[in-house]
Amino acid sequence: MSAMWYECKVKYRKTDEIGNQKVTTEPYLVDALSYTEAESRINEEMKAYISEEFKITNIKVANYAEIHPFENADRWFKSKVSLMAYDEESGKERKTNMYVLVQANDVKEAYDNTIEVMKGTMGDYTIPAISESPIVDVFPYFSGDEDELEQLEKFNALKASKPENTIEIEDHMEFAIEEEEVVS
C-alpha cells in the first residue's frame, strides 16, 4: 500500500532565542490511513516536542508522490517533476506532474537531490520548479515490524542529521515565473 501523507497545521506558543513568547502555526507531515489517524498521530508526535498546550488547526491530504530525507540537510523542498509520455493514439507528447519532497540545505542541493531520486526513472522528465516548503518535520508510519525498525532508524538518522557547515549565503538572484508551455 502506498503512503498517504497528511499536512497537519499545529498552533502553539513558541519561545524565541531572546525568551519572548509568540503564537505560531507550523505545518507537519504525517503518514496515515485517514484524517482521524492523522489527527491521532500528530497529537502523539507533538506531545514529545511541545510541553505546553497546542491546537491542530487544519489537516489536509498532501500532494506529495514521494518523501526523501537526505543526510546533513535541515530544510524541506518541494520539487515539481514533469514526466513526459508519448500518447500513441493522438501522436502527442503529454506531461504528467508529480511533487517530490526532498531534504536539502538550499535550492541547488534540492535540485541535485531530486536528480538523485529520479535516477532510476526510465522515461524522460523535467524539473520545472523547486521551492522551499514550509514543512517543519515529517513523521512516517512504521508498524513496528523488525524490518521496518531498521527503516525507521535510517529515516530518522537521515532526517536528524545536521549540515556540516552552517555558513549563511545571501541569495540575490531573482527568477521570473513563466507559464507552463503545452507541448504539441
Side-chain angles (χ1 to χ4, degrees):
M1 177 179 248
S2 65
M4 179 72 109
W5 294 96
Y6 290 87
E7 184 178 317
C8 303
K9 291 193 177 178
V10 180
K11 185 176 190 175
Y12 66 98
R13 190 173 308 279
K14 187 176 188 176
T15 307
D16 62 12
E17 302 85 30
I18 307 168
N20 297 330
Q21 285 194 343
K22 71 174 195 171
V23 175
T24 185
T25 303
E26 296 178 328
Y28 294 86
L29 222 54
V30 295
D31 181 9
L33 297 173
S34 66
Y35 284 93
T36 307
E37 184 186 1
E39 181 180 19
S40 174
R41 293 210 49 237
I42 196 64
N43 267 310
E44 288 302 312
E45 295 290 351
M46 290 296 103
K47 284 179 187 175
Y49 294 106
I50 303 171
S51 58
E52 294 181 22
E53 194 175 303
F54 62 89
K55 181 180 179 182
I56 299 165
T57 59
N58 189 19
I59 298 175
K60 67 179 183 179
V61 175
N63 64 344
Y64 298 113
E66 299 174 6
I67 311 290
H68 295 279
F70 279 87
E71 222 172 310
N72 300 322
D74 59 349
R75 299 184 330 216
W76 292 96
F77 290 83
K78 183 178 185 176
S79 297
K80 179 180 180 180
V81 178
S82 295
L83 302 170
M84 306 297 203
Y86 182 74
D87 186 3
E88 291 184 20
E89 288 181 20
S90 66
K92 295 182 180 180
E93 202 171 75
R94 295 176 42 163
K95 276 191 211 179
T96 304
N97 295 324
M98 71 175 198
Y99 295 94
V100 179
L101 192 68
V102 294
Q103 205 172 17
N105 293 308
D106 56 33
V107 175
K108 183 188 180 326
E109 188 177 328
Y111 177 81
D112 294 341
N113 290 350
T114 303
I115 295 292
E116 181 69 29
V117 165
M118 298 300 292
K119 258 188 183 166
T121 305
M122 298 295 279
D124 293 337
Y125 67 90
T126 60
I127 303 171
I130 295 178
S131 61
E132 186 169 359
S133 169
I135 300 294
V136 176
D137 208 349
V138 175
F139 302 108
Y141 175 78
F142 292 100
S143 66
D145 291 346
E146 204 166 302
D147 294 343
E148 287 189 351
L149 191 58
E150 186 178 311
Q151 245 185 319
L152 174 64
E153 288 171 359
K154 182 180 177 186
F155 186 93
N156 285 335
L158 283 173
K159 188 174 77 169
S161 64
K162 296 290 178 202
E164 292 169 6
N165 55 1
T166 55
I167 298 171
E168 189 71 28
I169 299 172
E170 195 170 328
D171 187 3
H172 297 288
M173 297 179 74
E174 293 183 20
F175 296 95
I177 300 173
E178 298 177 23
E179 291 186 29
E180 284 186 37
E181 294 179 27
V182 179
V183 180
S184 299

